[in-house]
Amino acid sequence: QQQVKQSPQSLIVQKGGISIINCAYENTAFDYFPWYQQFPGKGPALLIAIRPDVSEKKEGRFTISFNKSAKQFSLHIMDSQPGDSATYFCAATRRGYSGAGSYQLTFGKGTKLSVIP
Amino acid sequence: NAGVTQTPKFQVLKTGQSMTLQCAQDMNHNSMYWYRQDPGMGLRLIYYSASEGTTDKGEVPNGYNVSRLNKREFSLRLESAAPSQTSVYFCASRPGQGPSNTEAFFGQGTRLTVV
């Protein structure tokens, strides 16, 4: 049972274009929504994150849009560059089962972004 | 800054063999996680540990055991490896103080092949 659904699986964008990746969730217990970026041969690294009481967060060329009522959130990459070519994962956090401080971090299946010159 | 260190980086096992994947973090984080990454499947949580002495199952715990040896170290053991456990395994840690502090730091991964 996939708790965080991510689309598209792959995305090709021209340099300077806008890359858009979408995610949806069902579990209302999720309370934080980070995006991770992964380059080949490396571990994922946090890119940007948003709390559910905020509808939009922008950091440089990266923006998260969050729609709590629709249980959807998306990553927009403006002025996409070849260096942005990577796999992007949306994720969601909810409290785990071991009391205070216990949080599960659940990932979507990832989107492989290729930015072509 | 070492961050999260995983050993080994690569491993080939025969079906039925056992091995332990090691993970250590030097950031004084409370929570640690083990994920496996398979093509088209994203990162799936195997086990996690909120603090020393506690462990919880994730999405795909079958065939694995974990030990939170101390605050720094969280190991993943395959008792009898199967080809279905061929994957890239990632260890991660996070401060664990609450959802607003959710950045997880990942190791470089262990690429495991079971033949």
Side-chain angles (χ1 to χ4, degrees), chain B:
Chain B
N1 292 345
V4 179
T5 302
Q6 292 182 235
T7 56
K9 288 186 170 51
F10 301 93
Q11 183 71 49
V12 179
L13 286 180
K14 293 183 178 179
T15 297
Q17 285 185 319
S18 62
M19 79 160 295
T20 300
L21 280 63
Q22 306 286 353
C23 175
Q25 52 90 10
D26 60 2
M27 297 173 282
N28 200 35
H29 286 171
N30 291 313
S31 299
M32 297 186 73
Y33 303 79
W34 276 106
Y35 290 88
R36 60 177 289 174
Q37 184 175 23
D38 303 292
M41 298 298 292
L43 290 140
R44 292 182 291 170
L45 182 63
I46 305 172
Y47 272 94
Y48 65 104
S49 169
S51 61
E52 183 180 351
T54 67
T55 61
D56 282 308
K57 295 179 180 179
E59 301 172 65
V60 289
N62 292 344
Y64 305 96
N65 287 302
V66 290
S67 295
R68 184 72 183 269
L69 304 170
N70 46 56
K71 192 171 186 178
R72 290 187 65 247
E73 298 172 289
F74 189 38
S75 63
L76 178 71
R77 182 160 178 84
L78 287 70
E79 291 291 351
S80 178
S84 60
Q85 294 178 305
T86 293
S87 187
V88 180
Y89 291 86
F90 286 99
C91 176
S93 72
R94 58 184 291 278
Q97 296 305 309
S100 61
N101 206 10
T102 306
E103 178 172 3
F105 295 83
F106 284 79
Q108 294 292 295
T110 295
R111 187 173 296 274
L112 175 67
T113 302
V114 183
V115 298

